Amino acid sequence: MKHTLAVLVQNEFGVLSRVAGLFSARGYNIESLTVAETLDPTVSRMTIVTSGEEKIIEQITKQLNKLINVIKVVDLTGLEHVEREMALVKVHAEGDGRAEVLRICDIFRGKVVDVSPSSYTFEFTGVEEKINAVMNLLKPFGIRELVRTGKVAVSRGAGSSTEIRRRPAGGDAHLAEAG
């Protein structure tokens, strides 16, 4: 079963390497990985999609929490959350096929981001299944290039599953996990 892990880490060099090394050393596969700075520039958020039984995911979570630069790990899979993926796809489009690929783009609420005499480049955003569905429809026309971001996810509602609090004023810059 696929799991989506939200991992807050200190925004420092080498952290991504340590996290990837943990997966590699233990033979766990990362199916997708996105990383970006949060509102706090000293903290980055990784969204990692991996597969495994509950016991494996629990082991991954425990191992991640042991890494010194990891602040918090949340498995969003069991929680209500919103997830999206973005894809840029360059499709061969000439003759009658041009109108058809534009219709497919329109049906999936994609955006045309580049045009040439023989191709279109589209941007699609949505859940993994939507991106897979549009790719299957565009394949017969000839996909020349495809780039996917990997999944990003956030918990539903007003709260934050990855909220962190700084220690009270006067303390150093260490991060403390929110209750």
Side-chain angles (χ1 to χ4, degrees):
M1 177 179 177
K2 281 189 181 181
H3 285 260
T4 303
L5 304 176
V7 183
L8 290 179
V9 298
Q10 294 172 342
N11 188 7
E12 297 177 358
F13 69 91
V15 174
L16 177 60
S17 176
R18 284 185 208 102
V19 170
L22 181 149
F23 277 79
S24 174
R26 288 160 181 81
Y28 306 137
N29 187 35
I30 296 175
E31 295 183 20
S32 75
L33 169 69
T34 57
V35 185
E37 192 176 280
T38 64
L39 289 173
D40 179 349
T42 65
V43 177
S44 290
R45 180 178 168 138
M46 296 180 175
T47 304
I48 301 172
V49 177
T50 188
S51 293
E53 297 174 9
E54 291 299 324
K55 199 171 187 174
I56 297 293
I57 301 304
E58 182 182 335
Q59 192 174 20
I60 290 171
T61 301
K62 286 180 179 175
Q63 294 294 319
L64 284 170
N65 277 312
K66 287 182 182 177
L67 294 177
I68 194 160
N69 300 106
V70 172
I71 300 164
K72 189 172 186 178
V73 180
V74 176
D75 184 357
L76 293 171
T77 307
L79 306 172
E80 286 194 39
H81 66 281
V82 178
E83 57 186 45
R84 293 291 183 267
E85 191 174 314
M86 199 261 289
L88 293 174
V89 57
K90 188 180 295 183
V91 182
H92 176 80
E94 290 183 309
D96 295 339
R98 289 184 74 79
E100 185 62 26
V101 295
L102 281 176
R103 272 193 291 273
I104 292 169
C105 175
D106 189 43
I107 290 168
F108 284 87
R109 297 183 185 142
K111 295 178 187 170
V112 177
V113 293
D114 191 40
V115 178
S116 81
S118 62
S119 69
Y120 284 113
T121 302
F122 300 113
E123 171 190 316
F124 295 100
T125 305
V127 295
E128 182 179 3
E129 293 78 15
K130 173 185 171 182
I131 303 295
N132 290 339
V134 72
M135 292 309 122
N136 286 334
L137 288 174
L138 291 174
K139 266 184 195 166
F141 296 96
I143 294 176
R144 292 183 172 174
E145 195 170 354
L146 170 65
V147 182
R148 294 174 79 150
T149 60
K151 193 180 291 186
V152 290
V154 66
S155 62
R156 285 192 179 271
S160 170
S161 61
T162 57
E163 183 178 3
I164 55 172
R165 281 187 260 155
R166 295 219 175 257
R167 291 199 175 151
D172 53 26
H174 295 288
L175 298 168
E177 191 174 299

